[in-house]
Amino acid sequence: MAELATHLAYLEEAVADARQAMLSRRKAMLAAHLVDAYADRLFAVRAEPAGDVLEFREGLASTSPALAAVFDLVGGRIELVIEAVEVPLADYGKLGVEDFMVSLYNGHSVQRLRIVGPDGSREDVHEVLAAAVEALGAAR
């Protein structure tokens, strides 16, 4: 169990690092791969000797859309893109100085790293990663 705690701490740090570099695909993918690896470690600690890791991961994914999205991202079934996202005027107070300045010159939009789902839906990768880590913490 101590090994799981160490991995979870490393995972949380990677997610925080990715959030600090909002447009870094590399850091976001590192965090996603660590989420994926943590699920396998969790299986190794909790599984019955005759357990099936794929069934275990499917069970985790069924309880958390964020985990399902991360598993699909790491598995190459969905993609990660950088795209412009419109910022409503009411949310301008939440923007950092850099994003505020960018939005002024880009028609009230900023670039974000987003997951494109199989149905074309889009989600902020940093929100998905945070929710996935929370789900894994609850699964411990």
Side-chain angles (χ1 to χ4, degrees), residues 48-59:
E48 305 274 326
D52 181 353
V53 68
L54 296 178
E55 286 179 8
F56 178 78
R57 290 169 62 88
E58 188 175 302

Side-chain angles (χ1 to χ4, degrees), residues 22-23 81-88 91-92 94-114 124:
M22 293 290 285
L23 298 178
V81 297
I82 295 176
E83 62 185 11
V85 176
E86 188 171 333
V87 179
D91 291 344
Y92 261 54
K94 299 175 188 173
L95 292 177
V97 173
E98 299 85 1
D99 280 342
F100 175 74
M101 295 305 292
V102 166
S103 72
L104 288 178
Y105 293 102
N106 289 314
H108 305 291
S109 66
V110 294
Q111 287 186 320
R112 290 292 184 251
L113 197 54
R114 299 173 52 113
D124 183 278

Side-chain angles (χ1 to χ4, degrees), residues 36-89:
D36 190 77
Y38 186 88
D40 290 344
R41 286 184 180 217
L42 190 59
F43 170 77
V45 169
R46 294 179 56 195
E48 305 274 326
D52 181 353
V53 68
L54 296 178
E55 286 179 8
F56 178 78
R57 290 169 62 88
E58 188 175 302
L60 284 176
S62 71
T63 64
S64 169
L67 276 175
V70 171
F71 293 163
D72 285 345
L73 179 62
V74 170
R77 293 178 290 280
I78 59 176
E79 64 181 313
L80 192 59
V81 297
I82 295 176
E83 62 185 11
V85 176
E86 188 171 333
V87 179
L89 292 177

